Amino acid sequence: MKKLLSFTIAFISFFALQAQQKPWMLGPFQRPEAAKPIIAPQASTQFEDPMTGRTVAWESMATFNPAAITRNGEVYVLYRAEEKLGEKEIGGHTSRIGLATSTDGFSFTREKEPIFYPKEDGQKEFEWTGGTEDPRIVETEEGLYVLTYTQWNRDVPRLAVATSRDLRNWEKHGPIFKDWKDGKYHTTESKSGAIVTELKEGKLVAAKIDGKYWMYYGVPHIWLATSEDLVHWQPVENHEGNRVPVLSPRPGYFDSWLVEAGPPPVLTKDGIVVLYNAGNSQQVGVKNLGNRVYTGGQALFSATEPWKLLDRVEAPFIQPTLDFEKSGQYPEGTTFLEGLVYFEGKWLLYYGTADSMVGVVSAEDK
């Protein structure tokens, strides 16, 4: 009976990643054989916290929600880490960003200390004491790395930008909407900034459309913003001066509760492929997914009008099925997408599992 159950779970897991519903989609993605977390919490790494002056086990509670980039023939994963403080309260810990590197994209070596965290700097009022969360990262053609992340001061989560030349030394530029229209959206919750990229000479780089960079961001809807320099951003508004959601939850589907921007979207011959995180509301969504389960969807937007939705999947292309995807801080289950790279002829997609660990799936290039 146990063998039959194990086979059934493995089959469902495999099938869930095989459903290629639309020809424009990235994928199909597959889990590695005998899939397991590639990054998991550990208590052995310690760090002197600038906020308290204490030595803390900075990644003892959770390691999840990863960004990813390639550099010098390796994959670099920047992951959110939380220290164990007792209660498993989501949002109640301090988040910092750690760094792990890999020569094959599947086996990683981790830095002993975080490379990005709240400290005595100009962003203290926005990052103490909740920390720096949920990174996404892109590279420019000139080799500048641009990190979008959430600043959490336990009051308002804010989307912010930082830049680096080496992935270890960072310049923080602060909340992206702080100065726009006298701070019109500065006190409005914002997070999950996914900047559009394109594949050039085998590498994903930040893409310009109509002379601008574009970013899909937000939750429970996804909005758009534009920039000329990747640091200063303007929300896309309508003629009435209001933000316009370009992707929203749908009753009756796997994304009935919320949608949230995933890893950096990819500009392809078909349009802009946006991988997004989808939350289910069992009452008005998909019954067998349960409440608050996070899965992954894909949507296609116009290459010339990034606000124009052309197509959208009707079922998730990835969902939590394995034990490590349904454990830890978020037992409902998550496959929370944040990191995407093109490496050695294949796509590697990195995701957070149950707000606790990091997983990876891969797809051969078409």
Side-chain angles (χ1 to χ4, degrees), residues 27 31 49 60 75 82 128 151 174 176 187 206 224 248 265 282 318 339:
R31 287 183 172 87
D49 177 26
S60 56
V75 177
E82 293 180 343
W128 286 37
Q151 298 178 310
I176 66 170
T187 57
L224 265 179
S248 293
Q282 193 174 42
I318 183 172

Side-chain angles (χ1 to χ4, degrees), residues 248-300:
S248 293
R250 298 176 295 179
Y253 291 87
F254 67 101
D255 47 15
S256 53
W257 174 36
L258 59 81
V259 293
E260 184 169 355
V266 181
L267 179 61
T268 72
K269 60 181 179 57
D270 298 306
I272 303 169
V273 179
V274 175
L275 279 63
Y276 66 94
N277 296 296
N280 183 57
S281 176
Q282 193 174 42
Q283 286 77 4
V284 296
V286 178
K287 297 297 182 185
N288 63 6
L289 277 180
N291 279 320
R292 304 201 322 153
V293 172
Y294 278 82
T295 63
Q298 297 192 36
L300 182 70

Side-chain angles (χ1 to χ4, degrees), residues 16-17 31 64-65 80 90 134 136 189 191-192 218-222 249 253-262 275-282 286 288-297 315-322 324-327 329-338 351-356:
L17 293 178
R31 287 183 172 87
F64 59 116
N65 293 8
R80 175 180 171 184
I90 292 178
D134 296 353
R136 278 89 168 162
E189 177 180 318
K191 59 196 314 186
S192 305
V219 64
H221 304 272
I222 294 177
Y253 291 87
F254 67 101
D255 47 15
S256 53
W257 174 36
L258 59 81
V259 293
E260 184 169 355
L275 279 63
Y276 66 94
N277 296 296
N280 183 57
S281 176
Q282 193 174 42
V286 178
N288 63 6
L289 277 180
N291 279 320
R292 304 201 322 153
V293 172
Y294 278 82
T295 63
F317 76 97
I318 183 172
Q319 64 189 67
T321 57
L322 303 180
F324 74 88
E325 296 169 344
K326 298 186 291 183
S327 62
Q329 292 193 92
Y330 204 95
E332 292 89 346
T334 72
T335 45
F336 196 85
L337 318 174
E338 284 195 27
Y351 61 97
T353 71
D355 276 9
S356 298

